[in-house]
Amino acid sequence: GAVVSQHPSWVICKSGTSVKIECRSLDFQATTMFWYRQFPKQSLMLMATSNEGSKATYEQGVEKDKFLINHASLTLSTLTVTSAHPEDSSFYICSATGQIINYGYTFGSGTRLTVV
Amino acid sequence: QQQVKQSPQSLIVQKGGIPIINCAYENTAFDYFPWYQQFPGKGPALLIAIRPDVSEKKEGRFTISFNKSAKQFSLHIMDSQPGDSATYFCAARGGFGNEKLTFGTGTRLTIIP
């Protein structure tokens, strides 16, 4: 089945530094990738949508300069949290869709970010 | 109009019972309705999905019932097991080329032996 690999699974960084999270579709071409943020015991909140070779589309209220998204190829999207602060600590999850999976959605395993 | 309302928030069922989780929506443009299972610290995993031209779909122990006129859909888990204890999310896709998924608020399911 369709697999999306997300790395790292957890990361601790110091306040003010930047962190990059990778999301790869291993066995299909992801025409669209999505990035979500999830707080404890809450639902998934869509942050942005990205298409290969295009600028990401951010949801209202999401700072595009803080959360940089790059979708450089049909199999790789990255989320960079710039100048991280403790309030950026959260669970970040990517998702991908594409024609080969009949436009269903496959999710990565998530990244737990802790900013200290 | 983009909301998907999910209930109950939490559910405790005895092993072998049939937990039922319900979702309701307003946007008639939604064209794809998946259910996801999420364990703590993991990403959501697709359980089963349905399109609005079908009233019921069954895959293994999981069944979706879909009522287009009432704009409601539900997940039934047959012969529930303690391993089914997880958080379940319903979702709906925007339709008309809108690929975004709108998620319900989630149901924390506990199956007791």
Side-chain angles (χ1 to χ4, degrees), chain A residues 22-92:
Chain A
E22 286 193 353
C23 180
R24 293 181 183 271
S25 56
L26 298 185
D27 49 5
F28 69 100
Q29 292 184 328
T31 51
T32 307
M33 286 189 171
F34 306 87
W35 287 93
Y36 295 85
R37 184 172 182 177
Q38 187 178 34
F39 292 105
K41 298 184 181 181
Q42 292 191 23
S43 188
L44 284 75
M45 182 188 77
L46 180 65
M47 299 173 66
T49 303
S50 72
N51 296 97
E52 184 260 342
S54 304
K55 285 185 177 179
T57 302
Y58 291 82
E59 295 299 299
Q60 193 172 8
V62 177
E63 299 176 60
K64 58 182 68 177
D65 293 332
K66 165 166 277 296
F67 300 100
L68 300 179
I69 291 170
N70 185 293
H71 193 161
S73 74
L74 283 171
T75 59
L76 175 63
S77 177
T78 60
L79 167 67
T80 301
V81 182
T82 63
S83 187
H85 291 284
E87 57 265 31
D88 299 324
S89 298
S90 190
F91 193 55
Y92 294 88

Side-chain angles (χ1 to χ4, degrees), chain B residues 86-106:
Chain B
T87 299
Y88 292 80
F89 293 97
C90 63
R93 183 173 66 189
F96 297 123
N98 180 355
E99 297 179 294
K100 295 179 189 179
L101 285 179
T102 299
F103 280 84
T105 49

Side-chain angles (χ1 to χ4, degrees), chain A residues 101-115:
Chain A
I101 54 173
N102 198 23
Y103 296 106
Y105 301 79
T106 300
F107 284 79
S109 53
T111 297
R112 170 74 57 195
L113 170 63
T114 302
V115 184

